[in-house]
Amino acid sequence: MPVITNIEDLRVLAQRRVPRMFYDYADSGSWTEGTYRSNEEDFQTIKLRQRVAVNMEGRTTATTMVGQPVTMPVAIAPVGLTGMQHADGEI
């Protein structure tokens, strides 16, 4: 397996390994793809810094989402054709 250091490495790997029609479906947006491009631009402004030797005592991922308390803020929007990407994608 090649060394993967960022999302672009994963995108290039997927482009090589996944059949073209499946890759194009996953790496695209709807209609004019305006939202897709806007999201990419917005994510470019977010800089993540690696923090080592930082006191993690008392840290938590708990928050609220749509007014509900959650221990880890992860949500999945409705998606279609996930079985195209993995055999168990729609289970």
Side-chain angles (χ1 to χ4, degrees), residues 60-74:
T60 179
T61 57
T63 188
T64 57
M65 292 176 65
V66 220
Q68 298 293 314
V70 293
T71 56
M72 184 153 177
V74 175

Side-chain angles (χ1 to χ4, degrees):
M1 176 147 200
V3 174
I4 297 170
T5 57
N6 58 41
I7 294 298
E8 180 62 15
D9 292 345
L10 287 172
R11 192 190 67 72
V12 170
L13 183 64
Q15 191 172 24
R16 278 191 244 136
R17 291 185 177 183
V18 176
R20 170 116 192 203
M21 66 181 272
F22 299 149
Y23 173 81
D24 287 347
Y25 173 80
D27 191 46
S28 66
S30 64
W31 192 238
T32 62
E33 297 190 351
T35 302
Y36 177 85
R37 285 190 301 279
S38 292
N39 287 340
E40 281 193 330
E41 290 169 14
D42 289 346
F43 279 117
Q44 290 302 316
T45 65
I46 298 171
K47 302 299 177 203
L48 301 176
R49 295 184 330 189
Q50 181 180 10
R51 304 281 303 244
V52 295
V54 175
N55 182 2
M56 298 299 292
E57 187 175 340
R59 300 275 175 115
T60 179
T61 57
T63 188
T64 57
M65 292 176 65
V66 220
Q68 298 293 314
V70 293
T71 56
M72 184 153 177
V74 175
I76 299 175
V79 294
L81 301 175
T82 52
M84 183 170 63
Q85 304 299 324
H86 189 279
D88 293 337
E90 294 181 16
I91 291 179

